[in-house]
Amino acid sequence: MTTTAPPSPVFERLGLSAVVGVACGTASALFLALLDRVTGWREANPAIVFALPLAGYAIGWLYEQIGRSVAGGTNLAIDTIHGGGARIPRRLAPLVLVGTLLTHLFGGSAGREGTAVQMGASIADTIAHRWGATALLRRQLLLAGVAGGFSSVFGTPLAGTVFALEFVVIGRVELPAWAPTLVAAFVGDWTCRAWGIVHTPYPQIPAEPLGLWLLVRWIGFGGVVALTAASFIELMHGLKRW
């Protein structure tokens, strides 16, 4: 009698991360395809912007009726990754998808990254619970979901990986999760492109030879950006306390 050996932890982590990447890439492809349609319709019917207050009320009513458990949005994903706890409700993905599409349809402003991160975390947590993942594996799959969602929406797998690794605690990289996030990021991007999605083209900046003066300027630029970000965060926290 022969028995099948259990899958190795590495195979389990990377295999599930690939599954998360496929699911996130597919969700992002659907999101981007629908977003393109609603944006085109809004541009063809600019007067619809006057109905934006009604759309905002409808989205608020929708969350009040069936979305109270996911009202935290991205913060809910962060808290779950950071402290474990209850499963992220599956309804988060469709609710944030519908809310973002309605916002864009009526001329509102809503970023793609929040939608991608929330959908990715919700999908990843569903897969983790279906698999019966341990707490550590669940945490890594949640980060993989963040990476898969971010990279597939923007077509930037390396940026999605770094974003996910720094997602929980700003300034500290979650190095043990680098392999699952990298796999999910690239698989998510490939999956989204396989569905025929073409990402927004950005201008290609010509390469600049690295010299001492350029390096000094980049260091100075990085410092200014860091101070600006820190000031913004402290100001937001101060306003909330006030």
Side-chain angles (χ1 to χ4, degrees), residues 9-78:
V10 173
F11 175 81
E12 183 182 38
R13 284 192 305 153
L14 299 187
L16 288 175
S17 298
V19 173
V20 168
V22 170
C24 290
T26 301
S28 293
L30 174 64
F31 170 50
L32 293 175
L34 293 177
L35 184 61
D36 187 59
R37 286 179 175 269
V38 299
T39 301
W41 200 87
R42 188 197 69 239
E43 291 174 347
N45 301 273
I48 197 175
V49 71
F50 293 107
L52 180 59
L54 293 178
Y57 178 83
I59 295 171
W61 180 87
L62 185 64
Y63 270 83
E64 180 70 19
Q65 296 300 313
I66 61 175
R68 290 187 179 184
S69 61
V70 298
T74 302
N75 288 333
L76 173 63
I78 293 174

Side-chain angles (χ1 to χ4, degrees), residues 97-114:
L97 173 64
V98 171
T100 304
L101 291 174
L102 284 176
T103 301
H104 279 269
L105 175 63
F106 290 91
S109 175
R112 300 180 181 186
E113 64 281 352

Side-chain angles (χ1 to χ4, degrees), residues 147-224:
F150 188 97
S151 66
S152 56
V153 156
F154 293 107
T156 54
L158 291 179
T161 301
V162 175
F163 176 81
L165 292 177
E166 292 187 321
F167 185 66
V168 181
V169 180
I170 297 174
R172 190 182 74 192
V173 177
E174 190 83 5
L175 284 178
W178 73 268
T181 53
L182 189 67
V183 169
F186 274 95
V187 172
D189 180 42
W190 294 335
T191 301
C192 188
R193 294 176 189 273
W195 282 108
I197 298 299
V198 178
H199 294 285
T200 303
Y202 295 99
Q204 298 294 318
I205 301 174
E208 186 78 15
L210 182 61
L212 179 60
W213 175 231
L214 179 61
L215 183 60
V216 170
R217 284 187 292 171
W218 275 120
I219 293 174
F221 175 73
V224 171

